[in-house]
């Protein structure tokens, strides 16, 4: 997609094949048109910094009520804390190296639900950089984060159970918490003040996907006559996300089945376009038809009547 060209040029590896699996089946997607890219934050940020030019950058803490700096446009990405009880995507990942050649370097694993589901929706995410080196991440969609030791045990158990690895070297680790809720409207201080990124509603509530949407928001902003920053999601996507999140909140044990059903109905390209907010109407229809009717009808009614949990 045009807004991701700069980022994809900097990516460290991409995969045209990815999988989503549970105890019963494995869904394999292939897309030569929309591969899945891994991007190092360090490479990306140095490239961005090199392009800043005369744009001022404020790394120091600015209080919420601080006066705006002198500038024609002030792009504000200071995040707000998630609402109490909001669903969070929280994760810890470890990049590991092992002596045995156990990974398939051509296939990324986006969601593997062959994990303990007792704390809520939980999956392992794995990016195999080579047959011996991979990023392995334990991810939850729940309302509370967990002690570091829980994610660590998830990762070691997964590597042991699925790949038969009990020994590995840790190269680096990463962790994050991303809110899965519709962004709250923020009031600009004046016309120069534009909210961008998560603060500007760019994070897709149902998946926590942020990076691609932030690039789209900034690409659209740069081509807008008034440099307006708008949330990069369609009204239909936001509505579908609210119903989906309400179902996840109310019927957590259904979670893995919903993701498997959705992925199972789509081709790799349809899936990539849906996750990137570029789905055709026929793809949205396929997803709606793949979902269980009763919980989705009840959640749709909750959203319409303003009683939703999303
Ligand atoms: C380890 C990790 C892996 C991730 N992987 C993915 C992924 O694979 N795909 C994906 O789409 N997303 C991913 N994300 C999420 C994505 O990186 C974030 O959602 C995204 O960075 C949000 O961008 P942002 O600019 O809105 O906010 P941030 O990147 O959080 O930037 C906000 C900035 O504001 C600064 N700031 C905060 N308060 C103040 C203040 N008072 N004054 C001045 N500055 C302030 C912060 O220091 C920060 O630099 C990941 C996140 C993490 C942490």
């Amino acid at each position: 997609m045009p807004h991701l060209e700069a980022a994809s040029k900097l990516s460290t590896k991409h995969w045209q094949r990815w999988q989503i699996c549970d105890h019963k089946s494995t869904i394999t997607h292939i897309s030569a048109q929309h591969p899945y890219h891994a991007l190092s934050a360090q490479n990306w940020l140095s490239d961005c910094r090199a392009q800043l030019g005369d744009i001022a950058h404020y790394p120091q803490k600015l209080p919420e009520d601080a006066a705006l700096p002198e500038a024609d446009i002030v792009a504000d990405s200071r995040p707000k804390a998630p609402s109490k009880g909001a669903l969070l995507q929280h994760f810890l990942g470890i990049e590991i190296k092992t002596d045995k050649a156990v990974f398939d370097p051509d296939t990324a694993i986006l969601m593997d639900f062959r994990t303990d589901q007792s704390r809520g929706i939980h999956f392992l995410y794995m990016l195999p950089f080579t047959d011996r080196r991979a990023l392995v991440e334990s991810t939850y969609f729940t309302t509370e984060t967990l002690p570091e030791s829980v994610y660590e045990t998830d990762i070691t158990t997964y590597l042991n159970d699925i790949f038969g690895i009990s020994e590995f070297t840790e190269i680096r680790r990463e962790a994050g918490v991303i809110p899965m809720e519709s962004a709250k409207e923020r009031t600009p201080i004046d016309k120069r003040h534009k909210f961008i990124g998560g603060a500007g509603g760019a994070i897709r509530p149902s998946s926590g996907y942020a990076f691609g949407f932030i690039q789209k928001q900034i690409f659209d902003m740069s081509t807008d006559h008034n440099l307006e920053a708008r949330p990069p999601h369609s009204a239909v996507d936001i509505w579908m996300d609210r119903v989906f999140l309400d179902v996840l909140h109310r019927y957590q044990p259904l979670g893995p089945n919903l993701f498997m059903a959705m992925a199972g109905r789509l081709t790799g390209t349809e899936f990539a376009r849906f996750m990137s907010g570029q789905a055709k109407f026929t793809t949205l229809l396929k997803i709606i038809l793949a979902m269980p009717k009763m919980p989705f009808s009840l959640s749709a009614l909750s959203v319409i009547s303003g009683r939703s949990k999303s």
Side-chain angles (χ1 to χ4, degrees):
M1 289 156 204
H3 56 274
L4 289 171
E5 259 172 36
S8 53
K9 279 189 194 132
L10 290 173
S11 76
T12 42
K13 177 156 173 145
H14 64 268
W15 294 263
Q16 295 185 356
R17 243 165 84 95
W18 57 84
Q19 289 180 331
I20 295 172
C21 36
D22 67 5
H23 284 290
K24 283 180 266 164
S25 59
T26 297
I27 294 154
T28 303
H29 283 161
I30 299 174
S31 177
Q33 199 183 350
H34 297 298
Y36 190 85
H37 285 262
L39 182 64
S40 131
Q42 215 179 349
N43 291 351
W44 172 250
L45 291 174
S46 356
D47 191 72
C48 292
R49 281 195 193 103
Q51 293 183 43
L52 272 180
D54 63 353
I55 300 172
H57 176 226
Y58 288 87
Q60 74 274 30
K61 288 279 166 206
L62 279 181
E64 181 81 13
D65 55 355
L68 289 186
E70 279 300 317
D72 295 334
I73 296 289
V74 179
D76 185 351
S77 68
R78 287 172 298 173
K80 265 246 186 297
S83 321
K84 212 167 180 294
L87 212 54
L88 305 171
Q89 176 175 161
H90 48 102
F91 51 91
L92 182 142
I94 307 182
E95 190 173 327
I96 64 140
K97 207 168 66 178
T98 161
D99 288 340
K100 285 197 238 163
V102 286
F103 304 124
D104 170 5
D106 296 328
T107 309
I109 298 177
L110 298 191
M111 292 178 139
D112 191 336
F113 291 105
R114 289 174 293 175
T115 52
D116 175 13
Q117 300 293 320
S118 62
R119 296 184 181 87
I121 301 165
H122 175 218
F123 59 91
L124 262 285
Y125 162 80
M126 201 184 75
L127 296 183
F129 296 109
T130 69
D131 56 8
R132 288 153 212 257
R133 184 167 68 85
L135 171 68
V136 190
E137 208 149 273
S138 171
T139 306
Y140 288 83
F141 292 172
T142 63
T143 52
E144 304 288 338
T145 58
L146 294 161
E148 217 171 285
S149 58
V150 173
Y151 310 91
E152 287 168 347
T153 306
D154 296 335
I155 292 168
T156 48
T157 307
Y158 181 73
L159 286 170
N160 204 358
D161 290 356
I162 308 292
F163 294 96
I165 302 173
S166 53
E167 283 179 21
F168 57 82
T169 309
E170 178 172 332
I171 302 172
R172 62 169 193 102
R173 58 173 63 196
E174 62 175 42
V177 182
I178 304 174
M180 298 175 76
E181 61 175 345
S182 301
K184 292 166 221 133
E185 279 280 328
R186 310 269 288 263
T187 313
I189 295 175
D190 62 32
K191 276 166 82 175
R192 301 171 301 140
H193 189 195
K194 320 282 180 190
F195 288 107
I196 60 164
I203 300 175
R204 179 83 184 259
S206 64
S207 62
Y209 274 24
F211 184 83
F213 291 110
I214 294 175
Q215 301 324 305
K216 178 161 192 321
Q217 181 182 57
I218 302 305
F219 182 85
D220 292 348
M221 185 182 180
S222 69
T223 52
D224 182 86
H225 181 64
N226 295 318
L227 292 176
E228 288 304 337
R230 299 184 178 85
H233 314 292
S234 72
V236 174
D237 284 352
I238 288 293
W239 199 83
M240 280 178 69
D241 275 17
R242 290 197 62 193
V243 175
F244 187 73
L245 284 173
D246 191 80
V247 173
L248 287 189
H249 258 290
R250 290 177 198 270
Y251 314 96
Q252 287 222 357
L254 278 183
N257 295 343
L258 301 181
F259 287 102
M260 292 295 290
M262 194 255 277
R265 281 293 174 101
L266 305 182
T267 65
T269 296
E270 285 170 339
F271 179 80
R273 293 186 67 88
F274 173 67
M275 297 308 279
S276 311
Q278 308 277 325
K280 292 184 182 152
F281 175 71
T282 45
T283 307
L284 298 181
L285 201 61
K286 277 189 187 180
I287 293 169
I288 292 170
L289 292 176
M291 295 296 116
K293 302 295 163 288
M294 189 52 89
F296 273 81
S297 306
L298 293 174
S299 287
L301 283 176
S302 304
V303 171
I304 291 166
S305 61
R307 284 181 288 107
S308 84
K309 286 177 172 282
S310 51

